[in-house]
């Protein structure tokens, strides 16, 4: 048996300890000489190229599931939306009210309970008969109604991604991380104050986690490229609002 020099043993113990710290601190599953081993190689690229590849992957994906909180114009919205180029389906929560959004092509539908519609009248008190008519039904939103532009924005994949994926300030990489079991490279604007974006290091370089600047919310992206069905509501489940929809 050959004796192992004491110095080498100490160095090996030190390397093991460092690896343990790295793994526990970043969520990586191992410690190797090459952190990009087994990845798509995006982590080796300049930050501008990482941004470009992530945006290209997002733009070309057929579909995505977007969920989390979005703060805009002083209001907080909770989103849980499946999006693709020709439509979307999911839920939106704002000011304590949750309603369903469905867009198929240019046609937008809104589905909510009686509590939502009770507060939807111009004076805050909708007619009881109208509430019963609208409760739990898919309400067609006319394209000329001001509410159409406001609500349809939450169903537009390209529009949402264009506004969300931009970071502010000087952008730099911010280490390796993990999101839902997938290794990521994080990029940050102004050391995080301008927002951060985790980009997948496995498979296509899709965005997986976004933290918006200025406490603007946190959103997760999943099911990239996974198609889903969009079905037009049955005639008996669809009604017209009859007057201008609320935009607040």
């Amino acid at each position: 048996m050959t004796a192992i020099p004491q110095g080498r043993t100490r160095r090996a113990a030190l390397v093991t300890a460092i690896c343990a710290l790295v793994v526990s601190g970043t969520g990586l599953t191992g410690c190797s000489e090459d952190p990009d081993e087994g990845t798509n190689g995006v982590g080796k690229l300049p930050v501008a190229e990482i941004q470009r590849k992530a945006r290209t992957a997002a733009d070309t994906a057929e579909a995505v599931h977007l969920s989390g909180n979005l703060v805009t114009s002083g209001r907080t919205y909770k989103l849980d939306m499946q999006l693709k180029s020709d439509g979307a389906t999911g839920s939106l929560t704002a000011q304590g009210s949750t309603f369903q959004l469905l867009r198929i092509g240019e046609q937008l539908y809104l589905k909510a309970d009686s509590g939502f519609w009770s507060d939807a009248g111009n004076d805050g008190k909708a007619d009881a008969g109208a509430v019963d008519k609208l409760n739990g039904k898919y309400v067609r939103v006319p394209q000329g109604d001001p509410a159409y532009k406001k609500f349809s924005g939450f169903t537009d994949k390209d529009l949402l991604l264009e506004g969300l994926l931009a970071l502010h300030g000087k952008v730099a990489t911010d280490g390796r991380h993990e999101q839902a079991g997938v290794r990521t490279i994080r990029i940050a604007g102004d050391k995080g104050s301008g927002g951060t974006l985790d980009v997948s290091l496995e498979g296509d370089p899709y965005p997986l986690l976004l933290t918006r600047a200025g406490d603007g919310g946190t959103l997760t992206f999943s099911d990239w490229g996974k198609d889903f069905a969009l079905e037009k509501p049955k005639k008996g489940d669809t009604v017209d609002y009859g007057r201008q929809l609320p935009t607040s």
Side-chain angles (χ1 to χ4, degrees), residues 45-131:
L45 300 176
V47 66
E49 188 65 7
I50 296 174
Q51 285 183 292
R52 188 190 69 79
K53 283 186 171 292
R55 184 57 188 267
T56 298
D59 288 344
T60 56
E62 294 294 328
V64 64
H65 182 190
L66 175 63
S67 61
N69 296 316
L70 177 64
V71 181
T72 180
S73 301
R75 291 178 178 171
T76 299
Y77 299 90
K78 182 178 179 181
L79 288 78
D80 188 0
M81 298 293 303
Q82 289 179 284
L83 307 154
K84 57 182 179 179
S85 60
D86 60 346
T89 182
S91 65
L92 178 67
T93 301
Q95 296 180 291
S97 295
T98 298
F99 49 93
Q100 305 293 315
L101 289 174
L102 171 65
R103 183 175 63 82
I104 303 175
E106 297 298 322
Q107 183 61 67
L108 178 67
Y109 302 89
L110 186 155
K111 180 179 180 181
D113 61 17
S114 58
F116 174 88
W117 295 113
S118 293
D119 296 330
N122 293 331
D123 58 358
K125 295 181 180 180
D127 177 78
V131 169

Side-chain angles (χ1 to χ4, degrees), residues 47-234:
V47 66
E49 188 65 7
I50 296 174
Q51 285 183 292
R52 188 190 69 79
K53 283 186 171 292
R55 184 57 188 267
T56 298
D59 288 344
T60 56
E62 294 294 328
V64 64
H65 182 190
L66 175 63
S67 61
N69 296 316
L70 177 64
V71 181
T72 180
S73 301
R75 291 178 178 171
T76 299
Y77 299 90
K78 182 178 179 181
L79 288 78
D80 188 0
M81 298 293 303
Q82 289 179 284
L83 307 154
K84 57 182 179 179
S85 60
D86 60 346
T89 182
S91 65
L92 178 67
T93 301
Q95 296 180 291
S97 295
T98 298
F99 49 93
Q100 305 293 315
L101 289 174
L102 171 65
R103 183 175 63 82
I104 303 175
E106 297 298 322
Q107 183 61 67
L108 178 67
Y109 302 89
L110 186 155
K111 180 179 180 181
D113 61 17
S114 58
F116 174 88
W117 295 113
S118 293
D119 296 330
N122 293 331
D123 58 358
K125 295 181 180 180
D127 177 78
V131 169
D132 290 339
K133 175 186 175 183
L134 301 171
N135 180 34
K137 299 290 187 178
Y138 284 98
V139 177
R140 286 186 289 260
V141 183
Q143 291 188 40
D145 194 296
Y148 185 92
K149 182 178 180 179
K150 184 177 184 69
F151 292 135
S152 64
F154 292 103
T155 70
D156 190 320
K157 171 180 175 286
D158 293 338
L159 182 64
L160 273 176
L161 293 181
E162 181 179 356
L164 291 175
L165 296 182
L167 300 177
H168 302 286
K170 184 178 180 181
V171 182
T173 56
D174 189 24
R176 268 79 170 169
H177 298 267
E178 184 179 298
Q179 172 62 21
V182 177
R183 288 176 291 173
T184 66
I185 180 73
R186 180 171 296 171
I187 56 177
D190 281 344
K191 298 181 179 180
S193 63
T196 66
L197 181 68
D198 280 27
V199 178
S200 177
L201 286 174
E202 302 178 20
D204 292 313
Y206 291 124
L208 297 183
L209 175 67
L210 171 72
T211 301
R212 301 183 73 217
D215 296 321
T218 301
L219 296 161
T220 60
F221 306 86
S222 60
D223 295 336
W224 284 105
K226 185 177 181 179
D227 197 14
F228 57 92
L230 286 173
E231 297 182 1
K232 186 176 180 179
K234 296 179 181 178

